Amino acid sequence: MNAEDFTKRPNGKYDIVSLVEINPEYNMKYQVTQADADITNSYVTMIERTRSPITPESGDILRYTDRHGDYYPHAFIQYNRNGICHICERPYGIFISPIQKEARCDASGGAWRDIETACLRYIGKEETNFYNWGRLGYYGNGVLNFTAEVSVWEYIHPEPLYKDYTTEKWRKLYLVYSEEKHKYLGGQPYYSLGDTGLHTESDLRKFLNELKGEAFKGRKDNELVIWCYKQLQEQVSQEEFESLDLPETTTFCNGNQTAKIKYDDENNTIIFYFIL
């Protein structure tokens, strides 16, 4: 592709200096030239002039929330064809391929889904990263990185399994019931979360209460899906710990430890304070 293939801006977004800043490896091997800047600016122009607030285009961003409440803030729209958008939940390395003066984009990553185009809602614009070959074409480390502004869309699955909980604002955990440990403990229930074990229904209730969580039956018979506040940890001195006017609890963090907890209800977050 030549820079003349597309109408360039009067003042391109990139010059040699700004392109070198974001492509040091390319510059070390091939040295960024004005031709690279011209090509990159033509890509930016092509991408941005083909965006629409009405129709999703290849390379647009999708804020995607699936039925399980998993939120993907930078899902990628590969194409919009016959009323279906083909998307990637977690893309990386988005390449642009100019075809008949239109932007056609591809990416690695996954998983890939098909969504009805009519179900997407336009919510604005945002810059995102793209890649394409520099002036020398298909050479090792011959790829240039740049950004361009694209449309941003939103899709929230209309039939969620867990009310309105999503990983955008909540923490999602899986508790697994152990039949073997259930028998070992004389018939007491046993749910495990990594190295943490909940031996009784009382333990489970305490866990849910402390994390302001709600439990749902999982996809497997021995599984619970927990939606709860996100957790942050801060280490403080003994003196600072004693001065905190906060409730105290015992929680598992590299073994059982005493902590004080602060709830941030606006952001669905708990801060655990531990002694250094």
Side-chain angles (χ1 to χ4, degrees):
M1 170 184 170
N2 296 318
E4 292 75 22
D5 288 342
F6 304 104
T7 303
K8 294 188 291 183
R9 301 175 175 180
N11 296 302
K13 178 176 183 177
Y14 292 102
D15 57 17
I16 294 175
V17 173
S18 59
L19 207 54
V20 167
E21 288 178 352
I22 59 174
N23 294 279
E25 291 185 5
Y26 179 96
N27 187 59
M28 286 179 63
K29 190 159 187 177
Y30 302 113
Q31 189 173 11
V32 172
T33 68
Q34 186 59 46
D36 291 314
D38 290 343
I39 291 170
T40 302
N41 286 330
S42 67
Y43 287 141
V44 172
T45 299
M46 178 183 62
I47 292 168
E48 295 186 352
R49 72 170 173 79
T50 55
R51 299 305 102 180
S52 166
I54 299 172
T55 304
E57 301 290 347
S58 181
D60 280 352
I61 294 170
L62 178 64
R63 309 275 194 247
Y64 173 58
T65 303
D66 68 14
R67 193 181 183 199
H68 302 279
D70 294 316
Y71 174 66
Y72 303 92
H74 293 96
F76 158 73
I77 298 176
Q78 184 185 37
Y79 60 75
N80 175 13
R81 190 181 302 155
N82 299 323
I84 297 294
C85 281
H86 191 55
I87 73 154
C88 179
E89 294 173 347
R90 290 192 177 97
Y92 63 90
I94 299 175
F95 261 76
I96 176 172
S97 301
I99 298 176
Q100 296 181 349
K101 299 187 179 182
E102 296 298 330
R104 185 74 58 83
C105 299
D106 293 290
S108 298
W112 295 86
R113 312 284 184 197
D114 287 334
I115 301 174
E116 290 186 17
T117 304
C119 296
L120 273 59
R121 183 173 71 92
Y122 176 78
I123 59 174
K125 295 181 178 181
E126 185 175 306
E127 286 211 339
T128 191
N129 283 300
F130 291 93
Y131 296 89
N132 210 311
W133 299 102
R135 70 184 190 282
L136 300 176
Y138 304 101
Y139 279 76
N141 294 323
V143 170
L144 286 168
N145 169 41
F146 63 96
T147 64
E149 188 177 69
V150 299
S151 296
V152 182
W153 304 83
E154 181 182 59
Y155 175 84
I156 300 173
H157 198 286
E159 298 179 354
L161 294 176
Y162 309 113
K163 299 182 179 178
D164 60 351
Y165 289 111
T166 76
T167 54
E168 178 186 11
K169 298 180 179 178
W170 298 84
R171 187 182 183 193
K172 183 182 184 183
L173 302 171
Y174 293 93
L175 291 182
V176 179
Y177 178 77
S178 173
E179 182 66 30
E180 182 179 341
K181 291 189 176 181
H182 169 79
K183 294 177 180 178
Y184 176 76
L185 294 168
Q188 294 184 41
Y190 186 90
Y191 287 96
S192 61
L193 174 66
D195 294 332
T196 303
L198 305 175
H199 296 271
T200 66
E201 291 294 336
S202 177
D203 287 343
L204 179 58
R205 287 194 297 272
K206 179 178 181 294
F207 178 80
L208 293 174
N209 182 63
E210 185 174 279
L211 299 186
K212 296 200 173 184
E214 185 173 359
F216 296 84
K217 189 179 185 310
R219 285 178 285 180
K220 300 177 182 178
D221 291 338
N222 67 333
E223 182 182 80
L224 287 179
V225 178
I226 308 295
W227 290 92
C228 60
Y229 276 21
K230 297 178 180 180
Q231 289 94 57
L232 299 175
Q233 296 181 7
E234 289 193 19
Q235 293 187 321
V236 297
S237 66
Q238 178 75 46
E239 183 179 358
E240 289 174 311
F241 185 84
E242 292 175 356
S243 68
L244 291 172
D245 185 19
L246 297 170
E248 192 171 303
T249 187
T250 300
T251 189
F252 189 89
C253 180
N254 296 321
N256 289 325
Q257 292 193 39
T258 299
K260 289 190 175 182
I261 53 178
K262 180 180 179 180
Y263 291 95
D264 178 357
D265 295 323
E266 184 176 346
N267 296 300
N268 299 337
T269 301
I270 307 171
I271 303 174
F272 287 86
Y273 293 93
F274 296 96
I275 299 172
L276 281 168

